[in-house]
């Protein structure tokens, strides 16, 4: 069984800017205790990425974030071999360092996290953006938390271990802790079945049925100096956003406003000195629309619907 | 602490396995470990959440898990309460005069003159069907009034089908899996501009001249595999329209040197079309000539969806394939209908022709790619 003792229990309520639903916290704990990566999916703007920082903050451990790009390869998360610099150095006959490979190899964040074996949260953000081979290449690493530096010749194994502290085969120290691995996905591409099998899965939903939790989330995310924002404004905005979402769902909107839009909106309402009661769901002004909706068709659809109702 | 799952979760695990969900030993052990660590304790909802987090990876799998918990008999306390409630309602009903059921289920389905024989696939109810059997019947037919046409089907009771209605379209194969398949179809060659450094040649140059002026470059290795897909967009292929759309969407992900999808109706005649709605026609021979040397993939049910046998169509299609074989070194026919439905239809005749015909499932798709790569 994986060594999971160094991690305390995650409650989901102790982070300064984040509130996790109880069942999300349970699954996070399950992933930590079983030593499995956690795949996080959910609507955009519901705090998939923020969940990682909340875990790190609450458990008092470090956070490593790796944002995946469409050109990312699994190797890029582990180490980097600077071949160009080596070629450049090799032009100088006096430079003996260039005769070896290991001075040009650097560990990347995930490689570091594996080698250190310290309690840590590793976030692999937006894994679905990468090429379809990417998750498969990561499988073995996430399973065993070991990897090989394939660019390092076997002959340099010992020299590298002496000079850099890691050999060709990189793994954590005896009795070290496995990092907590979170992987977020926006479902742009389907992930391979073996990869899904290795992960635990949690879906973050917008807590529309829990206005108290939403109000709490807003309160925690407002800047400290905005403390004078009244509770009426927050609860009013939460109630109206839920109605806007309901209507948006009826209209089949592409991107419904979620938690991050809600926080922005409360901030804007406060700056403008408006009251939540003054906001009518049927007549959102241009500023509100700009904050809440992200797709042009959504704005147009919503406007057409409210115009329709006004005419009746 | 035991190292086996409690019967409830073990049953679910077996159910998942029986449905082809690839849960393994590790998932089982994780379940045992999670219970040992105190997860999923308390009520059934907690257990359900645990099972879903551990074993559910797709909407379909989560639905299976949800159903497993839905059809479980209620826990004892709830069961007793339920029985009491049912008894109360029975007592209350005994006081009232008997009321006829809202939709009486007719035991027999009279076949009115002029209509075809009763619905196929339905066990024909015998005239002496008892009332209990009638209650079990899924669909009963209200007696047709005199002079009216077909009988009106009525659902007598909730259908006792052991599964949910899946109303979301489920893809035959995902775009991802298709893209992976296309990537297996590779022909790696070097061509194009010289952009990649040739290390060996550079070193040779350095040794020969004694100094390095500039690195020697060579063209990058890339995939030169080409593919032409001809897809049948006739009405009998309508159930596979989403599959054809997936096919079209997956082609750009396949990293082929060149891939094109063209449509035809029933059989490739003089013209091929750019869209499944048969717009933008182009001369067939023009398209074939343009793709000469590529691999050819034909997707069509070839009459097997409707079970039609048309010798003329089969002969013409075979002629076309013979002709195409001259331009295309490798060709495969994919037929989305299951193989047992080919016999006795046009598809059966074409399948005996020069081009191998394969059904659309994972192993046969792999085989198809293998043939396209040149492994006969």
């Amino acid at each position: 069984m994986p060594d999971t003792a160094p991690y305390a229990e995650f409650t989901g309520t102790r982070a300064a800017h984040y509130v996790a639903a109880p069942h999300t916290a349970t699954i996070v704990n399950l992933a930590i205790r079983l030593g499995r990566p956690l795949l996080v999916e959910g609507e955009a703007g519901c705090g998939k990425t923020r969940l990682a920082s909340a875990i790190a903050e609450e458990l008092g451990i470090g956070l490593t974030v790796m944002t995946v790009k469409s050109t990312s390869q699994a190797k890029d998360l582990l180490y980097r071999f600077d071949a160009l610099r080596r070629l450049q150095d090799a032009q100088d006959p006096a430079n003996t360092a260039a005769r070896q490979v290991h001075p040009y190899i650097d560990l990347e964040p995930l490689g570091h996290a594996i080698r250190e074996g310290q309690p840590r949260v590793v976030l692999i953000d937006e894994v679905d953006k990468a090429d379809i081979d990417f998750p498969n290449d990561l499988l073995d690493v996430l399973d065993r938390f070991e990897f090989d530096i394939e660019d390092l010749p076997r002959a340099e194994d010992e020299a590298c271990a002496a000079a850099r502290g890691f050999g060709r085969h990189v793994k954590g120290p005896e009795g070290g802790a496995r990092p907590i691995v979170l992987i977020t996905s926006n479902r742009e591409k389907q992930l391979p079945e073996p990869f899904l099998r290795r992960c635990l899965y949690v879906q973050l939903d917008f807590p529309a049925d829990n206005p108290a939790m939403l109000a709490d989330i807003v309160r925690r995310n407002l800047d400290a100096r905005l403390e004078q924002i009244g509770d009426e404004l927050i609860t009013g905005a939460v109630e109206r956003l839920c109605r806007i979402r309901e209507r948006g769902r009826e209209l089949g909107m592409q991107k419904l406003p979620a938690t991050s839009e809600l926080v922005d909106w409360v901030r804007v309402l406060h700056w403008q000195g408006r009251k939540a009661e003054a906001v009518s769901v049927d007549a959102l002004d241009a500023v509100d629309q700009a904050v809440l909706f992200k797709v042009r068709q959504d704005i147009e659809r919503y406007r057409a619907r409210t115009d329709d109702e006004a005419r009746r | 602490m035991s190292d086996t799952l409690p019967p409830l979760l073990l049953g679910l695990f077996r159910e998942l396995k029986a449905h082809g969900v690839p849960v393994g030993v590790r998932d089982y052990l994780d379940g045992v470990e999670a219970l040992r660590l105190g997860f999923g304790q308390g009520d059934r909802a907690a257990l359900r959440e645990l099972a879903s987090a551990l074993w559910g990876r797709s909407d379909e799998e989560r639905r299976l898990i949800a159903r497993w918990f839905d059809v479980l008999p209620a826990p004892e306390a709830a069961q007793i309460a339920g029985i009491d409630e049912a008894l109360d309602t029975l007592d209350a009903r005994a006081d009232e005069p008997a009321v006829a059921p809202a939709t009486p289920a007719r035991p027999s389905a009279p076949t009115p003159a002029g209509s075809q024989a009763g619905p196929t696939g339905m066990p024909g109810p015998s005239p002496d069907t008892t009332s209990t059997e009638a209650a079990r019947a899924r669909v009963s037919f209200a007696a047709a009034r005199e002079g009216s046409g077909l009988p009106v089907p009525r659902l007598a009771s909730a259908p006792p089908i052991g599964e949910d209605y899946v109303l979301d379209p489920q893809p035959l194969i995902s775009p991802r899996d298709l893209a992976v398949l296309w990537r297996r179809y590779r022909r790696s060659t070097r061509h194009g501009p010289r952009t990649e450094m040739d290390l060996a040649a550079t070193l040779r140059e350095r040794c020969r001249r004694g100094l390095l002026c500039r690195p020697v470059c060579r063209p990058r290795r890339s995939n030169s595999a080409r593919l032409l897909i001809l897809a049948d967009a006739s009405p009998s292929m309508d159930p596979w329209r989403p599959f054809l759309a997936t096919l079209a969407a997956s082609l750009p992900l396949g990293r082929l040197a060149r891939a094109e999808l063209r449509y035809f109706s029933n059989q490739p005649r003089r013209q091929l079309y750019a869209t499944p709605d048969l717009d933008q026609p182009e001369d067939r021979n023009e398209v074939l000539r343009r793709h000469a040397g590529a691999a050819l993939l034909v997707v069509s049910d070839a009459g097997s969806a409707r079970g039609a046998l048309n010798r003329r169509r089969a002969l013409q299609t075979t002629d076309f394939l013979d002709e195409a074989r001259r331009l295309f070194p490798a060709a495969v026919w994919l037929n989305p209908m299951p193989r047992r439905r080919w016999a006795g239809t046009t598809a059966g005749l074409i399948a005996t022709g020069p081009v191998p015909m394969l059904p659309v499932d994972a192993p046969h798709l792999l085989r198809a790619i293998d043939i396209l790569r040149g492994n006969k």
Side-chain angles (χ1 to χ4, degrees):
Chain A
M1 264 292 125
D3 183 6
T4 49
Y7 297 110
E9 182 157 335
F10 174 66
T11 59
T13 53
R14 291 201 207 112
H17 301 299
Y18 195 90
V19 189
H23 98 272
T24 308
T26 311
I27 296 177
V28 168
N29 282 318
L30 186 62
I32 296 174
R33 303 297 292 272
L34 293 176
R36 289 239 226 166
L38 182 64
L39 177 68
V40 188
E41 283 189 350
E43 256 178 69
C46 270
K48 296 191 288 293
T49 306
R50 298 277 298 276
L51 177 62
S53 47
I55 297 172
E57 186 186 337
E58 191 183 318
L59 304 186
I61 53 181
L63 169 68
T64 303
V65 181
M66 281 160 290
T67 306
V68 174
K69 293 180 288 185
S70 60
T71 52
S72 292
Q73 292 186 323
K75 204 179 77 175
D76 300 343
L77 303 186
L78 301 170
Y79 69 92
R80 194 160 43 88
F81 171 42
D82 196 347
L84 199 63
R85 192 158 63 85
R86 186 176 176 222
L87 182 68
Q88 216 168 14
D89 287 357
Q91 300 295 316
D92 176 8
N95 191 343
T96 50
R99 292 194 188 149
Q100 291 186 310
V101 173
H102 67 77
Y104 301 95
I105 286 181
D106 289 305
L107 292 184
E108 288 291 306
L110 183 60
H112 262 301
I114 290 174
R115 185 172 68 107
E116 281 172 1
Q118 296 293 319
R120 169 168 284 280
V121 178
V122 172
L123 171 68
I124 302 174
D125 209 6
E126 307 187 22
V127 72
D128 52 336
K129 267 200 316 201
D131 189 66
I132 56 178
D133 292 331
F134 179 88
N136 277 333
D137 294 344
L138 263 187
L139 265 184
D140 196 43
V141 177
L142 293 184
D143 219 24
R144 298 188 297 135
F145 283 94
E146 302 172 6
F147 62 96
D148 281 319
I149 301 178
E150 278 158 18
D151 290 309
L152 189 69
R154 282 176 206 281
E156 285 185 33
D157 189 13
E158 279 171 22
C160 183
R164 310 292 309 276
F166 57 85
R168 193 169 187 275
H169 183 73
V170 180
K171 60 177 183 181
E174 274 309 306
R178 278 187 168 203
I180 302 170
V181 180
L182 256 74
I183 302 162
T184 70
S185 158
N186 286 316
R187 281 203 172 188
E188 274 182 17
K189 286 194 199 105
Q190 217 180 351
L191 296 170
E193 177 81 3
F195 182 79
L196 291 176
R197 288 281 141 219
R198 293 292 202 298
C199 303
L200 290 193
Y201 176 89
V202 65
Q203 162 102 22
L204 297 187
D205 293 317
F206 182 80
D209 50 352
N210 193 348
M213 182 174 155
L214 273 173
D216 192 17
I217 292 171
V218 174
R219 245 173 251 125
R220 282 174 193 236
N221 280 284
L222 293 172
D223 303 339
R225 62 194 160 79
L226 290 178
E227 262 171 3
Q228 61 269 37
I229 294 180
D231 274 354
E232 311 90 75
L233 178 65
I234 296 175
T235 47
V238 165
E239 186 260 338
R240 276 165 181 74
L241 187 95
C242 289
R243 270 163 52 198
I244 293 171
R245 271 179 66 93
E246 246 166 58
R247 185 168 291 193
R249 187 164 294 129
E250 283 168 23
L251 292 171
M253 277 192 186
Q254 286 177 41
K255 164 79 183 81
L256 292 172
T259 339
S260 70
E261 282 83 12
L262 173 64
V263 173
D264 287 346
W265 195 36
V266 172
R267 233 177 249 161
V268 168
L269 290 177
H270 176 70
W271 283 336
Q272 293 183 326
R274 287 156 70 195
K275 286 205 159 52
E277 293 81 60
V279 177
S280 161
V281 175
D282 301 318
L284 292 176
D285 67 18
V287 176
D288 297 333
Q289 288 175 0
V291 174
L292 294 173
F293 304 134
K294 300 290 163 73
V295 186
R296 199 177 128 206
Q297 283 101 317
D298 286 356
I299 299 181
E300 282 167 3
R301 251 182 242 174
Y302 196 90
R303 204 177 286 157
R305 165 77 177 265
T306 46
D307 286 354
D308 239 25
E309 277 172 8
R311 237 176 276 132
R312 251 181 247 161
Chain B
M1 191 67 214
S2 73
D3 52 359
T4 53
L5 283 178
L8 205 157
L9 280 189
L10 181 63
L12 171 62
F13 192 81
R14 287 182 154 171
E15 174 91 355
L16 289 176
K17 280 230 76 103
H19 277 87
V21 179
V23 281
V25 175
R26 187 165 165 179
D27 298 279
Y28 182 94
L29 291 177
D30 273 350
V32 174
E33 179 68 9
L35 287 177
R36 194 183 64 79
L37 291 169
F39 290 97
Q41 307 291 341
D43 55 353
R44 259 190 202 167
L47 207 56
R48 178 176 175 155
E49 236 161 54
L50 172 72
S52 199
L54 277 176
W55 299 330
R57 288 293 170 276
S58 64
D59 292 342
E60 180 61 33
E61 288 164 27
R62 280 187 279 278
R63 195 158 36 223
L64 271 174
I65 293 170
R67 195 165 67 216
W68 171 260
F69 280 95
D70 282 344
V71 300
L72 277 184
E76 246 169 52
Q79 217 168 0
I80 291 166
I83 291 170
D84 283 348
E85 200 176 304
L87 283 175
D88 286 348
T89 46
L90 273 182
D91 288 346
R93 216 182 263 171
D95 300 338
E96 293 168 15
V99 187
T103 28
R106 305 284 167 132
S108 63
T111 313
S115 80
Q116 297 198 335
T120 51
M122 266 264 310
S126 57
D128 58 350
T129 318
T130 59
S131 58
T132 47
E133 274 175 75
R136 252 192 280 135
R138 275 188 209 165
V139 182
S140 62
F141 287 83
R145 257 177 277 129
E146 271 175 54
S148 65
L150 290 167
V152 186
R154 291 248 172 87
L155 211 56
S157 57
I161 303 170
E163 51 194 75
D164 306 320
Y165 294 106
V166 179
L167 299 177
D168 304 327
Q170 306 276 318
L172 196 61
I173 178 166
S174 68
R176 184 197 161 80
D177 293 337
L178 265 180
V180 170
L181 269 178
W182 300 139
R183 291 201 187 174
R184 294 181 73 100
Y185 172 46
R186 284 188 68 79
R187 229 168 252 152
S188 179
T189 48
R190 294 186 183 278
H191 63 106
R194 296 170 175 273
T195 51
E196 193 181 270
M197 194 183 82
D198 185 346
L199 194 62
T202 307
L203 288 178
R204 268 200 306 277
E205 190 70 10
R206 167 86 160 74
C207 296
R208 199 165 60 83
R209 294 196 182 193
L211 76 161
L212 181 65
C213 301
R214 58 174 182 189
V216 181
C217 291
R218 60 182 171 187
R220 196 174 279 277
R221 215 170 243 290
S222 63
N223 190 5
S224 63
R226 293 181 298 137
L227 179 68
L228 172 65
I229 303 182
L230 299 181
D232 188 355
S234 61
S236 68
M237 283 288 287
D238 271 354
W240 296 288
R241 279 286 180 105
F243 171 63
L244 295 185
T246 313
L247 206 62
S250 70
L251 276 183
L253 294 172
R255 289 188 186 158
L256 298 173
R258 187 168 178 188
E260 204 174 324
L261 178 57
R262 292 274 156 169
Y263 299 90
F264 61 89
S265 181
N266 285 329
Q267 72 187 73
R269 295 202 175 85
R270 255 181 234 151
Q271 287 182 321
L272 295 170
Y273 303 87
T275 70
D277 299 321
L278 306 180
D279 293 333
Q280 305 169 32
E282 195 181 348
D283 186 60
R284 182 184 85 184
N285 294 334
E286 194 67 30
V287 175
L288 296 189
R289 257 201 301 281
R290 195 168 61 226
H291 286 274
L296 176 70
L297 185 69
V298 186
V299 184
S300 167
D301 68 299
S304 56
R306 296 202 169 134
L309 177 63
N310 183 340
R311 277 179 207 286
R312 197 178 134 89
R313 177 178 167 187
L315 277 177
Q316 284 175 350
T317 310
T318 318
D319 285 348
F320 162 74
L321 292 176
D322 271 332
E323 200 181 314
R325 284 301 301 270
R326 273 185 243 138
L327 291 172
F328 297 89
V332 177
W333 190 299
L334 287 179
N335 187 338
M337 283 301 285
R339 190 178 284 223
R340 62 191 150 77
R341 295 281 299 271
W342 301 353
T345 68
T346 321
L349 290 180
I350 297 174
T352 56
V355 168
M357 186 182 278
L358 301 173
V360 179
D361 56 25
H364 284 103
L365 281 172
L366 271 179
R367 172 84 190 110
I369 294 297
D370 220 31
I371 296 173
L372 293 184
R373 278 158 52 141
N375 302 333
K376 299 283 154 62

